[in-house]
Amino acid sequence: MALRKGKCRLSLILTDRRINQAEFARRKGVTEGTVSKWKTGTSEMSFNHAVLAALILNCLA
């Protein structure tokens, strides 16, 4: 699997999956503020958080 860093697509994927920010934060075990920072690009997800997010959102290739 090729990994690449690019623009965060979290907002688009959450909308597509019909999962709101609060629910995603609950499933990930982080605050809504953390999710907001990821969505806006204020903060970057660690690799481990990105892998868990992919599992939660069923975004695996």
Side-chain angles (χ1 to χ4, degrees):
M1 171 173 64
L3 299 175
R4 62 185 166 92
K5 184 177 173 182
K7 184 176 179 193
C8 181
R9 298 181 58 230
L10 183 58
S11 187
L12 177 68
I13 295 168
L14 288 175
T15 300
D16 184 57
R17 303 289 194 279
R18 296 185 176 149
I19 300 172
N20 65 34
Q21 186 170 304
E23 176 61 16
F24 181 69
R26 185 190 67 76
R27 290 184 192 184
K28 287 259 315 128
V30 298
T31 66
E32 285 184 61
T34 297
V35 175
S36 177
K37 288 177 182 179
W38 290 335
K39 287 173 61 176
T40 61
T42 305
S43 179
E44 292 184 359
M45 249 188 233
S46 69
F47 178 78
N48 290 337
H49 276 291
V51 170
L52 182 56
L55 289 170
I56 290 169
L57 298 170
N58 196 25
C59 293
L60 301 175

